[in-house]
Amino acid sequence: MTGVGVAVALLVTLSGAAWTARAATVAILPPPRPLAGSQPFATLLCKFAGVAVEPVSISYFDRLMLEGPESLDQYWRAMSSGRINVAGSQAFGWFAMPHPPRVYRNNEPDSAELEALARDCSAAADADVDFTRFTGINLVFNECLLRPRGGEMALTLDGVRRRFRVLWLCPGASAAHQIVAHEMGHSFGLTHSTDEDGDEYGNTWDVMSVAGYCAGESDFGLLAQEPIAFNKDLLGWIPPERKFRSPGREARTIVLDAADGGTGYLIAEIPLGRSRMYTVEARVRAGFDDALSTSGVLIHEVDFRRQNKARLVSPQSNRAGDVAGMFGGWSAGATFDDAVSGVSVRVDEALENGFIVTISQGTTPAQIVRSGGPVRLAPHASGQRSSASSPICGDETRN
Ligand SMILES: [Zn+2]
């Protein structure tokens, strides 16, 4: 930073709603914008002065980012339909921080001097790391001062000042696949979604909300589920021809696909005036979604005026106490009706890779003529098939 009066030299995006801007620090979210291409991350392992332990290895992060079908490289390739990857990522360390942990603590709960942590860790690595190769930096400290964070920050490295995607991590659960994916999502500009009650850590269907419910286990800890379709669309990962926009006053029956590869829609949007809409998407237990509690159609009420824009709309009968939202999907035969807006979403049939739904707005489903081309129906047992992975439900992690 170059001195007094430069108010926003620093761009830090924080994952928690509790983050508040402090003097001389402006915390903002980078606007989510279409994201494509390689996004290599340098992972820097940094040791605090006076803390000798090295609780995690560079090989763990090299594997987490790049090795095997569960790596974050494969995860982001799948989530973006091949638009992004993290090829070229590499871990380095350990590097010596100039100060002990107490220097980076502050008086706020679950908070620390994020900018100083980032500056000192990256500066310690600057002689050994060619940062021109990377768009992102994972900062991994040998002691956890706060919950993980992800965002964006300007740093001067290799003599050049530019913005990096930055994650603040530490060993243990904070280094798990699901957590790192969530924080990477923040660094791409995504905010949390919420469950029906507005809990930003309560939407089990979104990697950008819950980390820890119903996740598969792997060598990398809990595996990330997918982002909701609204988040994929914010990053430009849903092509226009795979996006259905309700024409209003005209009911339509469409095929919603859970994954790329078919010909159905990947998201349906039902406009509700200028700043709100419903989104409808299919989610099927497969791939990174294998540990979801069930397959289902998701409905989100999106309000672009909220920081956490997407709110899950759950069937009342499917809500489950303190884990509301966990079963918030709509299954075949269910109908969502919004009397205020006249919107109706009826789930007609489960398919192998999605659902057939009928969307109407101010009209009646009886007028509907089915469209959407040939479809393959799901085997009857598909909703009950057991997962190859071991779902862990209820081990909550907030970050
Ligand atoms: Zn978060």
Side-chain angles (χ1 to χ4, degrees), residues 43 58-68 70-76 86 89 138 169 174-181 184 218-223:
T43 297
I58 57 173
S59 72
Y60 171 78
F61 282 95
D62 281 339
R63 287 185 290 114
L64 172 67
M65 298 301 282
L66 295 175
E67 189 175 295
E70 293 174 340
S71 69
L72 287 167
D73 184 58
Q74 291 299 313
Y75 175 79
W76 288 114
V86 297
S89 294
N138 296 326
L169 305 169
S174 295
H177 186 280
Q178 194 179 48
I179 301 293
V180 180
M184 289 177 81
S218 75
D219 290 345
F220 308 133
L222 300 179
L223 273 184

PDB file of all heavy atoms in Angstrom, residues 43 58-68 70-76 86 89 138 169 174-181 184 218-223:
ATOM      1  N   THR A  43       0.202 -22.579  -3.501  1.00  0.00           N
ATOM      2  CA  THR A  43      -0.088 -22.821  -2.082  1.00  0.00           C
ATOM      3  C   THR A  43       1.191 -22.567  -1.301  1.00  0.00           C
ATOM      4  O   THR A  43       2.239 -23.164  -1.585  1.00  0.00           O
ATOM      5  CB  THR A  43      -0.562 -24.265  -1.863  1.00  0.00           C
ATOM      6  OG1 THR A  43      -1.786 -24.470  -2.568  1.00  0.00           O
ATOM      7  CG2 THR A  43      -0.792 -24.536  -0.383  1.00  0.00           C
ATOM      8  N   ILE A  58       3.517 -30.155   1.643  1.00  0.00           N
ATOM      9  CA  ILE A  58       3.247 -29.596   0.318  1.00  0.00           C
ATOM     10  C   ILE A  58       2.652 -30.666  -0.605  1.00  0.00           C
ATOM     11  O   ILE A  58       1.855 -30.362  -1.483  1.00  0.00           O
ATOM     12  CB  ILE A  58       4.493 -28.956  -0.335  1.00  0.00           C
ATOM     13  CG1 ILE A  58       5.634 -29.937  -0.443  1.00  0.00           C
ATOM     14  CG2 ILE A  58       4.917 -27.705   0.393  1.00  0.00           C
ATOM     15  CD1 ILE A  58       6.817 -29.389  -1.235  1.00  0.00           C
ATOM     16  N   SER A  59       3.010 -31.927  -0.359  1.00  0.00           N
ATOM     17  CA  SER A  59       2.468 -32.976  -1.244  1.00  0.00           C
ATOM     18  C   SER A  59       0.947 -33.096  -1.074  1.00  0.00           C
ATOM     19  O   SER A  59       0.234 -33.395  -2.027  1.00  0.00           O
ATOM     20  CB  SER A  59       3.152 -34.310  -0.977  1.00  0.00           C
ATOM     21  OG  SER A  59       2.746 -34.860   0.254  1.00  0.00           O
ATOM     22  N   TYR A  60       0.437 -32.865   0.151  1.00  0.00           N
ATOM     23  CA  TYR A  60      -1.020 -32.912   0.335  1.00  0.00           C
ATOM     24  C   TYR A  60      -1.689 -31.896  -0.581  1.00  0.00           C
ATOM     25  O   TYR A  60      -2.668 -32.206  -1.278  1.00  0.00           O
ATOM     26  CB  TYR A  60      -1.406 -32.645   1.796  1.00  0.00           C
ATOM     27  CG  TYR A  60      -2.907 -32.473   1.949  1.00  0.00           C
ATOM     28  CD1 TYR A  60      -3.759 -33.579   1.963  1.00  0.00           C
ATOM     29  CD2 TYR A  60      -3.486 -31.201   1.988  1.00  0.00           C
ATOM     30  CE1 TYR A  60      -5.135 -33.431   2.043  1.00  0.00           C
ATOM     31  CE2 TYR A  60      -4.863 -31.037   2.068  1.00  0.00           C
ATOM     32  CZ  TYR A  60      -5.683 -32.151   2.096  1.00  0.00           C
ATOM     33  OH  TYR A  60      -7.047 -31.993   2.155  1.00  0.00           O
ATOM     34  N   PHE A  61      -1.179 -30.688  -0.593  1.00  0.00           N
ATOM     35  CA  PHE A  61      -1.841 -29.660  -1.403  1.00  0.00           C
ATOM     36  C   PHE A  61      -1.616 -29.869  -2.895  1.00  0.00           C
ATOM     37  O   PHE A  61      -2.485 -29.557  -3.712  1.00  0.00           O
ATOM     38  CB  PHE A  61      -1.405 -28.260  -0.950  1.00  0.00           C
ATOM     39  CG  PHE A  61      -2.106 -27.830   0.303  1.00  0.00           C
ATOM     40  CD1 PHE A  61      -1.522 -28.023   1.544  1.00  0.00           C
ATOM     41  CD2 PHE A  61      -3.380 -27.292   0.250  1.00  0.00           C
ATOM     42  CE1 PHE A  61      -2.188 -27.665   2.708  1.00  0.00           C
ATOM     43  CE2 PHE A  61      -4.055 -26.934   1.404  1.00  0.00           C
ATOM     44  CZ  PHE A  61      -3.454 -27.116   2.647  1.00  0.00           C
ATOM     45  N   ASP A  62      -0.450 -30.405  -3.260  1.00  0.00           N
ATOM     46  CA  ASP A  62      -0.254 -30.732  -4.674  1.00  0.00           C
ATOM     47  C   ASP A  62      -1.274 -31.776  -5.126  1.00  0.00           C
ATOM     48  O   ASP A  62      -1.844 -31.691  -6.221  1.00  0.00           O
ATOM     49  CB  ASP A  62       1.170 -31.241  -4.913  1.00  0.00           C
ATOM     50  CG  ASP A  62       2.181 -30.105  -4.993  1.00  0.00           C
ATOM     51  OD1 ASP A  62       1.766 -28.956  -5.266  1.00  0.00           O
ATOM     52  OD2 ASP A  62       3.375 -30.364  -4.777  1.00  0.00           O
ATOM     53  N   ARG A  63      -1.515 -32.772  -4.253  1.00  0.00           N
ATOM     54  CA  ARG A  63      -2.506 -33.796  -4.603  1.00  0.00           C
ATOM     55  C   ARG A  63      -3.914 -33.226  -4.580  1.00  0.00           C
ATOM     56  O   ARG A  63      -4.717 -33.493  -5.481  1.00  0.00           O
ATOM     57  CB  ARG A  63      -2.395 -34.990  -3.634  1.00  0.00           C
ATOM     58  CG  ARG A  63      -1.149 -35.844  -3.881  1.00  0.00           C
ATOM     59  CD  ARG A  63      -1.128 -37.089  -2.997  1.00  0.00           C
ATOM     60  NE  ARG A  63      -0.896 -36.768  -1.603  1.00  0.00           N
ATOM     61  CZ  ARG A  63      -1.780 -36.938  -0.622  1.00  0.00           C
ATOM     62  NH1 ARG A  63      -2.972 -37.450  -0.873  1.00  0.00           N
ATOM     63  NH2 ARG A  63      -1.480 -36.614   0.619  1.00  0.00           N
ATOM     64  N   LEU A  64      -4.245 -32.465  -3.556  1.00  0.00           N
ATOM     65  CA  LEU A  64      -5.578 -31.882  -3.443  1.00  0.00           C
ATOM     66  C   LEU A  64      -5.927 -31.058  -4.686  1.00  0.00           C
ATOM     67  O   LEU A  64      -7.045 -31.115  -5.211  1.00  0.00           O
ATOM     68  CB  LEU A  64      -5.650 -30.988  -2.195  1.00  0.00           C
ATOM     69  CG  LEU A  64      -6.923 -30.142  -2.030  1.00  0.00           C
ATOM     70  CD1 LEU A  64      -8.136 -31.025  -1.771  1.00  0.00           C
ATOM     71  CD2 LEU A  64      -6.749 -29.125  -0.899  1.00  0.00           C
ATOM     72  N   MET A  65      -4.973 -30.303  -5.157  1.00  0.00           N
ATOM     73  CA  MET A  65      -5.266 -29.430  -6.285  1.00  0.00           C
ATOM     74  C   MET A  65      -5.312 -30.198  -7.605  1.00  0.00           C
ATOM     75  O   MET A  65      -6.149 -29.893  -8.464  1.00  0.00           O
ATOM     76  CB  MET A  65      -4.214 -28.307  -6.379  1.00  0.00           C
ATOM     77  CG  MET A  65      -4.179 -27.376  -5.160  1.00  0.00           C
ATOM     78  SD  MET A  65      -5.744 -26.524  -4.823  1.00  0.00           S
ATOM     79  CE  MET A  65      -5.713 -25.233  -6.061  1.00  0.00           C
ATOM     80  N   LEU A  66      -4.431 -31.204  -7.767  1.00  0.00           N
ATOM     81  CA  LEU A  66      -4.222 -31.722  -9.125  1.00  0.00           C
ATOM     82  C   LEU A  66      -4.343 -33.227  -9.312  1.00  0.00           C
ATOM     83  O   LEU A  66      -4.446 -33.691 -10.442  1.00  0.00           O
ATOM     84  CB  LEU A  66      -2.825 -31.295  -9.615  1.00  0.00           C
ATOM     85  CG  LEU A  66      -2.622 -29.790  -9.802  1.00  0.00           C
ATOM     86  CD1 LEU A  66      -1.175 -29.500 -10.155  1.00  0.00           C
ATOM     87  CD2 LEU A  66      -3.559 -29.247 -10.870  1.00  0.00           C
ATOM     88  N   GLU A  67      -4.324 -34.007  -8.239  1.00  0.00           N
ATOM     89  CA  GLU A  67      -4.153 -35.445  -8.446  1.00  0.00           C
ATOM     90  C   GLU A  67      -5.454 -36.224  -8.330  1.00  0.00           C
ATOM     91  O   GLU A  67      -6.130 -36.195  -7.316  1.00  0.00           O
ATOM     92  CB  GLU A  67      -3.145 -35.978  -7.422  1.00  0.00           C
ATOM     93  CG  GLU A  67      -2.736 -37.430  -7.686  1.00  0.00           C
ATOM     94  CD  GLU A  67      -1.652 -37.888  -6.724  1.00  0.00           C
ATOM     95  OE1 GLU A  67      -0.531 -37.331  -6.793  1.00  0.00           O
ATOM     96  OE2 GLU A  67      -1.923 -38.766  -5.893  1.00  0.00           O
ATOM     97  N   GLY A  68      -5.788 -36.954  -9.379  1.00  0.00           N
ATOM     98  CA  GLY A  68      -6.887 -37.904  -9.308  1.00  0.00           C
ATOM     99  C   GLY A  68      -8.248 -37.284  -9.592  1.00  0.00           C
ATOM    100  O   GLY A  68      -8.392 -36.068  -9.720  1.00  0.00           O
ATOM    101  N   GLU A  70     -10.825 -36.816  -7.817  1.00  0.00           N
ATOM    102  CA  GLU A  70     -11.472 -35.978  -6.802  1.00  0.00           C
ATOM    103  C   GLU A  70     -10.732 -34.668  -6.571  1.00  0.00           C
ATOM    104  O   GLU A  70     -11.108 -33.882  -5.706  1.00  0.00           O
ATOM    105  CB  GLU A  70     -11.574 -36.757  -5.485  1.00  0.00           C
ATOM    106  CG  GLU A  70     -12.534 -37.942  -5.585  1.00  0.00           C
ATOM    107  CD  GLU A  70     -12.542 -38.803  -4.341  1.00  0.00           C
ATOM    108  OE1 GLU A  70     -11.570 -38.738  -3.568  1.00  0.00           O
ATOM    109  OE2 GLU A  70     -13.529 -39.538  -4.147  1.00  0.00           O
ATOM    110  N   SER A  71      -9.679 -34.427  -7.330  1.00  0.00           N
ATOM    111  CA  SER A  71      -8.901 -33.208  -7.108  1.00  0.00           C
ATOM    112  C   SER A  71      -9.743 -31.969  -7.387  1.00  0.00           C
ATOM    113  O   SER A  71     -10.770 -32.020  -8.075  1.00  0.00           O
ATOM    114  CB  SER A  71      -7.672 -33.204  -8.020  1.00  0.00           C
ATOM    115  OG  SER A  71      -8.089 -33.034  -9.370  1.00  0.00           O
ATOM    116  N   LEU A  72      -9.312 -30.858  -6.841  1.00  0.00           N
ATOM    117  CA  LEU A  72     -10.032 -29.611  -7.103  1.00  0.00           C
ATOM    118  C   LEU A  72      -9.936 -29.214  -8.567  1.00  0.00           C
ATOM    119  O   LEU A  72     -10.823 -28.541  -9.096  1.00  0.00           O
ATOM    120  CB  LEU A  72      -9.504 -28.503  -6.192  1.00  0.00           C
ATOM    121  CG  LEU A  72      -9.945 -28.673  -4.736  1.00  0.00           C
ATOM    122  CD1 LEU A  72      -9.171 -27.755  -3.812  1.00  0.00           C
ATOM    123  CD2 LEU A  72     -11.450 -28.427  -4.584  1.00  0.00           C
ATOM    124  N   ASP A  73      -8.885 -29.644  -9.241  1.00  0.00           N
ATOM    125  CA  ASP A  73      -8.810 -29.397 -10.685  1.00  0.00           C
ATOM    126  C   ASP A  73      -9.974 -30.087 -11.397  1.00  0.00           C
ATOM    127  O   ASP A  73     -10.690 -29.467 -12.189  1.00  0.00           O
ATOM    128  CB  ASP A  73      -7.476 -29.913 -11.231  1.00  0.00           C
ATOM    129  CG  ASP A  73      -7.301 -29.583 -12.711  1.00  0.00           C
ATOM    130  OD1 ASP A  73      -7.355 -28.391 -13.065  1.00  0.00           O
ATOM    131  OD2 ASP A  73      -7.139 -30.529 -13.509  1.00  0.00           O
ATOM    132  N   GLN A  74     -10.185 -31.349 -11.071  1.00  0.00           N
ATOM    133  CA  GLN A  74     -11.301 -32.079 -11.696  1.00  0.00           C
ATOM    134  C   GLN A  74     -12.642 -31.515 -11.239  1.00  0.00           C
ATOM    135  O   GLN A  74     -13.607 -31.461 -12.015  1.00  0.00           O
ATOM    136  CB  GLN A  74     -11.204 -33.569 -11.362  1.00  0.00           C
ATOM    137  CG  GLN A  74     -10.022 -34.254 -12.035  1.00  0.00           C
ATOM    138  CD  GLN A  74     -10.097 -34.181 -13.548  1.00  0.00           C
ATOM    139  OE1 GLN A  74     -11.134 -34.451 -14.147  1.00  0.00           O
ATOM    140  NE2 GLN A  74      -9.000 -33.800 -14.188  1.00  0.00           N
ATOM    141  N   TYR A  75     -12.709 -31.121  -9.978  1.00  0.00           N
ATOM    142  CA  TYR A  75     -13.949 -30.540  -9.455  1.00  0.00           C
ATOM    143  C   TYR A  75     -14.339 -29.293 -10.249  1.00  0.00           C
ATOM    144  O   TYR A  75     -15.463 -29.183 -10.756  1.00  0.00           O
ATOM    145  CB  TYR A  75     -13.776 -30.199  -7.973  1.00  0.00           C
ATOM    146  CG  TYR A  75     -14.966 -29.480  -7.369  1.00  0.00           C
ATOM    147  CD1 TYR A  75     -16.109 -30.177  -6.983  1.00  0.00           C
ATOM    148  CD2 TYR A  75     -14.951 -28.097  -7.198  1.00  0.00           C
ATOM    149  CE1 TYR A  75     -17.203 -29.520  -6.437  1.00  0.00           C
ATOM    150  CE2 TYR A  75     -16.039 -27.435  -6.652  1.00  0.00           C
ATOM    151  CZ  TYR A  75     -17.167 -28.154  -6.273  1.00  0.00           C
ATOM    152  OH  TYR A  75     -18.249 -27.479  -5.740  1.00  0.00           O
ATOM    153  N   TRP A  76     -13.413 -28.361 -10.388  1.00  0.00           N
ATOM    154  CA  TRP A  76     -13.775 -27.101 -11.057  1.00  0.00           C
ATOM    155  C   TRP A  76     -13.978 -27.297 -12.559  1.00  0.00           C
ATOM    156  O   TRP A  76     -14.781 -26.610 -13.184  1.00  0.00           O
ATOM    157  CB  TRP A  76     -12.742 -26.019 -10.769  1.00  0.00           C
ATOM    158  CG  TRP A  76     -12.845 -25.529  -9.351  1.00  0.00           C
ATOM    159  CD1 TRP A  76     -11.914 -25.681  -8.349  1.00  0.00           C
ATOM    160  CD2 TRP A  76     -13.959 -24.828  -8.757  1.00  0.00           C
ATOM    161  NE1 TRP A  76     -12.389 -25.125  -7.175  1.00  0.00           N
ATOM    162  CE2 TRP A  76     -13.625 -24.595  -7.390  1.00  0.00           C
ATOM    163  CE3 TRP A  76     -15.192 -24.380  -9.229  1.00  0.00           C
ATOM    164  CZ2 TRP A  76     -14.495 -23.929  -6.514  1.00  0.00           C
ATOM    165  CZ3 TRP A  76     -16.049 -23.723  -8.355  1.00  0.00           C
ATOM    166  CH2 TRP A  76     -15.701 -23.504  -7.021  1.00  0.00           C
ATOM    167  N   VAL A  86      -7.461 -25.683 -12.627  1.00  0.00           N
ATOM    168  CA  VAL A  86      -6.405 -25.106 -11.793  1.00  0.00           C
ATOM    169  C   VAL A  86      -5.055 -25.730 -12.146  1.00  0.00           C
ATOM    170  O   VAL A  86      -4.155 -25.818 -11.324  1.00  0.00           O
ATOM    171  CB  VAL A  86      -6.710 -25.232 -10.279  1.00  0.00           C
ATOM    172  CG1 VAL A  86      -7.973 -24.453  -9.941  1.00  0.00           C
ATOM    173  CG2 VAL A  86      -6.827 -26.686  -9.842  1.00  0.00           C
ATOM    174  N   SER A  89      -1.121 -25.409 -10.721  1.00  0.00           N
ATOM    175  CA  SER A  89      -1.019 -25.112  -9.292  1.00  0.00           C
ATOM    176  C   SER A  89       0.174 -25.851  -8.683  1.00  0.00           C
ATOM    177  O   SER A  89       0.539 -26.945  -9.118  1.00  0.00           O
ATOM    178  CB  SER A  89      -2.305 -25.540  -8.573  1.00  0.00           C
ATOM    179  OG  SER A  89      -3.395 -24.753  -9.005  1.00  0.00           O
ATOM    180  N   ASN A 138      -3.050 -19.788  -2.090  1.00  0.00           N
ATOM    181  CA  ASN A 138      -3.563 -20.390  -0.856  1.00  0.00           C
ATOM    182  C   ASN A 138      -2.538 -20.147   0.236  1.00  0.00           C
ATOM    183  O   ASN A 138      -1.405 -20.619   0.143  1.00  0.00           O
ATOM    184  CB  ASN A 138      -3.739 -21.901  -1.006  1.00  0.00           C
ATOM    185  CG  ASN A 138      -4.782 -22.276  -2.030  1.00  0.00           C
ATOM    186  OD1 ASN A 138      -5.767 -21.572  -2.195  1.00  0.00           O
ATOM    187  ND2 ASN A 138      -4.569 -23.394  -2.714  1.00  0.00           N
ATOM    188  N   LEU A 169      -5.987 -20.317   4.971  1.00  0.00           N
ATOM    189  CA  LEU A 169      -6.300 -21.674   5.413  1.00  0.00           C
ATOM    190  C   LEU A 169      -5.374 -22.080   6.542  1.00  0.00           C
ATOM    191  O   LEU A 169      -4.408 -21.383   6.861  1.00  0.00           O
ATOM    192  CB  LEU A 169      -6.131 -22.659   4.238  1.00  0.00           C
ATOM    193  CG  LEU A 169      -6.920 -22.346   2.962  1.00  0.00           C
ATOM    194  CD1 LEU A 169      -6.453 -23.244   1.811  1.00  0.00           C
ATOM    195  CD2 LEU A 169      -8.415 -22.536   3.201  1.00  0.00           C
ATOM    196  N   SER A 174      -9.848 -27.382   7.978  1.00  0.00           N
ATOM    197  CA  SER A 174      -9.757 -26.185   7.148  1.00  0.00           C
ATOM    198  C   SER A 174      -9.070 -26.450   5.817  1.00  0.00           C
ATOM    199  O   SER A 174      -9.152 -25.636   4.902  1.00  0.00           O
ATOM    200  CB  SER A 174      -8.997 -25.084   7.890  1.00  0.00           C
ATOM    201  OG  SER A 174      -9.720 -24.677   9.018  1.00  0.00           O
ATOM    202  N   ALA A 175      -8.363 -27.557   5.732  1.00  0.00           N
ATOM    203  CA  ALA A 175      -7.675 -27.889   4.486  1.00  0.00           C
ATOM    204  C   ALA A 175      -8.427 -28.947   3.692  1.00  0.00           C
ATOM    205  O   ALA A 175      -7.917 -29.467   2.706  1.00  0.00           O
ATOM    206  CB  ALA A 175      -6.256 -28.381   4.788  1.00  0.00           C
ATOM    207  N   ALA A 176      -9.644 -29.268   4.110  1.00  0.00           N
ATOM    208  CA  ALA A 176     -10.424 -30.298   3.422  1.00  0.00           C
ATOM    209  C   ALA A 176     -10.910 -29.797   2.064  1.00  0.00           C
ATOM    210  O   ALA A 176     -11.084 -28.595   1.842  1.00  0.00           O
ATOM    211  CB  ALA A 176     -11.611 -30.727   4.279  1.00  0.00           C
ATOM    212  N   HIS A 177     -11.144 -30.748   1.188  1.00  0.00           N
ATOM    213  CA  HIS A 177     -11.605 -30.477  -0.175  1.00  0.00           C
ATOM    214  C   HIS A 177     -12.788 -29.508  -0.191  1.00  0.00           C
ATOM    215  O   HIS A 177     -12.814 -28.519  -0.920  1.00  0.00           O
ATOM    216  CB  HIS A 177     -12.011 -31.821  -0.787  1.00  0.00           C
ATOM    217  CG  HIS A 177     -12.393 -31.802  -2.225  1.00  0.00           C
ATOM    218  ND1 HIS A 177     -13.636 -31.396  -2.660  1.00  0.00           N
ATOM    219  CD2 HIS A 177     -11.697 -32.166  -3.339  1.00  0.00           C
ATOM    220  CE1 HIS A 177     -13.697 -31.511  -3.976  1.00  0.00           C
ATOM    221  NE2 HIS A 177     -12.535 -31.976  -4.416  1.00  0.00           N
ATOM    222  N   GLN A 178     -13.791 -29.810   0.650  1.00  0.00           N
ATOM    223  CA  GLN A 178     -15.014 -29.023   0.621  1.00  0.00           C
ATOM    224  C   GLN A 178     -14.773 -27.584   1.073  1.00  0.00           C
ATOM    225  O   GLN A 178     -15.331 -26.637   0.506  1.00  0.00           O
ATOM    226  CB  GLN A 178     -16.045 -29.696   1.545  1.00  0.00           C
ATOM    227  CG  GLN A 178     -17.450 -29.192   1.377  1.00  0.00           C
ATOM    228  CD  GLN A 178     -18.414 -29.911   2.299  1.00  0.00           C
ATOM    229  OE1 GLN A 178     -18.143 -30.056   3.483  1.00  0.00           O
ATOM    230  NE2 GLN A 178     -19.525 -30.363   1.760  1.00  0.00           N
ATOM    231  N   ILE A 179     -13.925 -27.418   2.077  1.00  0.00           N
ATOM    232  CA  ILE A 179     -13.656 -26.077   2.591  1.00  0.00           C
ATOM    233  C   ILE A 179     -12.865 -25.275   1.564  1.00  0.00           C
ATOM    234  O   ILE A 179     -13.173 -24.107   1.289  1.00  0.00           O
ATOM    235  CB  ILE A 179     -12.851 -26.158   3.898  1.00  0.00           C
ATOM    236  CG1 ILE A 179     -13.623 -26.964   4.951  1.00  0.00           C
ATOM    237  CG2 ILE A 179     -12.523 -24.754   4.396  1.00  0.00           C
ATOM    238  CD1 ILE A 179     -14.876 -26.322   5.424  1.00  0.00           C
ATOM    239  N   VAL A 180     -11.849 -25.898   0.999  1.00  0.00           N
ATOM    240  CA  VAL A 180     -11.028 -25.167   0.037  1.00  0.00           C
ATOM    241  C   VAL A 180     -11.861 -24.807  -1.198  1.00  0.00           C
ATOM    242  O   VAL A 180     -11.771 -23.692  -1.721  1.00  0.00           O
ATOM    243  CB  VAL A 180      -9.768 -25.973  -0.340  1.00  0.00           C
ATOM    244  CG1 VAL A 180      -8.918 -25.204  -1.346  1.00  0.00           C
ATOM    245  CG2 VAL A 180      -8.941 -26.285   0.913  1.00  0.00           C
ATOM    246  N   ALA A 181     -12.725 -25.735  -1.627  1.00  0.00           N
ATOM    247  CA  ALA A 181     -13.598 -25.416  -2.765  1.00  0.00           C
ATOM    248  C   ALA A 181     -14.503 -24.235  -2.434  1.00  0.00           C
ATOM    249  O   ALA A 181     -14.698 -23.321  -3.256  1.00  0.00           O
ATOM    250  CB  ALA A 181     -14.441 -26.641  -3.132  1.00  0.00           C
ATOM    251  N   MET A 184     -12.465 -21.087  -2.459  1.00  0.00           N
ATOM    252  CA  MET A 184     -12.142 -20.741  -3.854  1.00  0.00           C
ATOM    253  C   MET A 184     -13.350 -20.083  -4.518  1.00  0.00           C
ATOM    254  O   MET A 184     -13.209 -19.123  -5.272  1.00  0.00           O
ATOM    255  CB  MET A 184     -11.702 -21.986  -4.635  1.00  0.00           C
ATOM    256  CG  MET A 184     -10.329 -22.504  -4.234  1.00  0.00           C
ATOM    257  SD  MET A 184      -9.868 -24.023  -5.118  1.00  0.00           S
ATOM    258  CE  MET A 184      -9.305 -23.323  -6.682  1.00  0.00           C
ATOM    259  N   SER A 218     -13.094 -38.591   1.527  1.00  0.00           N
ATOM    260  CA  SER A 218     -12.056 -38.888   0.552  1.00  0.00           C
ATOM    261  C   SER A 218     -10.714 -38.717   1.236  1.00  0.00           C
ATOM    262  O   SER A 218     -10.636 -38.368   2.418  1.00  0.00           O
ATOM    263  CB  SER A 218     -12.160 -37.925  -0.629  1.00  0.00           C
ATOM    264  OG  SER A 218     -11.659 -36.647  -0.266  1.00  0.00           O
ATOM    265  N   ASP A 219      -9.660 -38.941   0.490  1.00  0.00           N
ATOM    266  CA  ASP A 219      -8.318 -38.674   1.015  1.00  0.00           C
ATOM    267  C   ASP A 219      -8.147 -37.207   1.372  1.00  0.00           C
ATOM    268  O   ASP A 219      -7.231 -36.831   2.095  1.00  0.00           O
ATOM    269  CB  ASP A 219      -7.265 -39.049  -0.033  1.00  0.00           C
ATOM    270  CG  ASP A 219      -7.180 -40.550  -0.226  1.00  0.00           C
ATOM    271  OD1 ASP A 219      -7.714 -41.282   0.639  1.00  0.00           O
ATOM    272  OD2 ASP A 219      -6.603 -40.986  -1.235  1.00  0.00           O
ATOM    273  N   PHE A 220      -9.013 -36.399   0.845  1.00  0.00           N
ATOM    274  CA  PHE A 220      -8.921 -34.956   1.076  1.00  0.00           C
ATOM    275  C   PHE A 220      -9.959 -34.485   2.085  1.00  0.00           C
ATOM    276  O   PHE A 220     -10.338 -33.320   2.108  1.00  0.00           O
ATOM    277  CB  PHE A 220      -9.117 -34.195  -0.236  1.00  0.00           C
ATOM    278  CG  PHE A 220      -8.242 -34.657  -1.359  1.00  0.00           C
ATOM    279  CD1 PHE A 220      -8.768 -34.899  -2.627  1.00  0.00           C
ATOM    280  CD2 PHE A 220      -6.879 -34.840  -1.170  1.00  0.00           C
ATOM    281  CE1 PHE A 220      -7.958 -35.323  -3.668  1.00  0.00           C
ATOM    282  CE2 PHE A 220      -6.054 -35.274  -2.203  1.00  0.00           C
ATOM    283  CZ  PHE A 220      -6.601 -35.516  -3.456  1.00  0.00           C
ATOM    284  N   GLY A 221     -10.441 -35.376   2.924  1.00  0.00           N
ATOM    285  CA  GLY A 221     -11.489 -34.991   3.865  1.00  0.00           C
ATOM    286  C   GLY A 221     -12.828 -34.907   3.162  1.00  0.00           C
ATOM    287  O   GLY A 221     -13.051 -35.551   2.134  1.00  0.00           O
ATOM    288  N   LEU A 222     -13.724 -34.109   3.719  1.00  0.00           N
ATOM    289  CA  LEU A 222     -15.069 -34.013   3.139  1.00  0.00           C
ATOM    290  C   LEU A 222     -15.006 -33.445   1.729  1.00  0.00           C
ATOM    291  O   LEU A 222     -14.347 -32.441   1.476  1.00  0.00           O
ATOM    292  CB  LEU A 222     -15.953 -33.132   4.016  1.00  0.00           C
ATOM    293  CG  LEU A 222     -16.151 -33.624   5.462  1.00  0.00           C
ATOM    294  CD1 LEU A 222     -17.020 -32.646   6.229  1.00  0.00           C
ATOM    295  CD2 LEU A 222     -16.756 -35.017   5.484  1.00  0.00           C
ATOM    296  N   LEU A 223     -15.731 -34.104   0.830  1.00  0.00           N
ATOM    297  CA  LEU A 223     -15.725 -33.686  -0.574  1.00  0.00           C
ATOM    298  C   LEU A 223     -16.788 -32.617  -0.831  1.00  0.00           C
ATOM    299  O   LEU A 223     -17.910 -32.701  -0.328  1.00  0.00           O
ATOM    300  CB  LEU A 223     -16.050 -34.871  -1.480  1.00  0.00           C
ATOM    301  CG  LEU A 223     -14.917 -35.779  -1.934  1.00  0.00           C
ATOM    302  CD1 LEU A 223     -15.483 -36.814  -2.910  1.00  0.00           C
ATOM    303  CD2 LEU A 223     -13.790 -35.009  -2.576  1.00  0.00           C
TER     304      LEU A 223
END
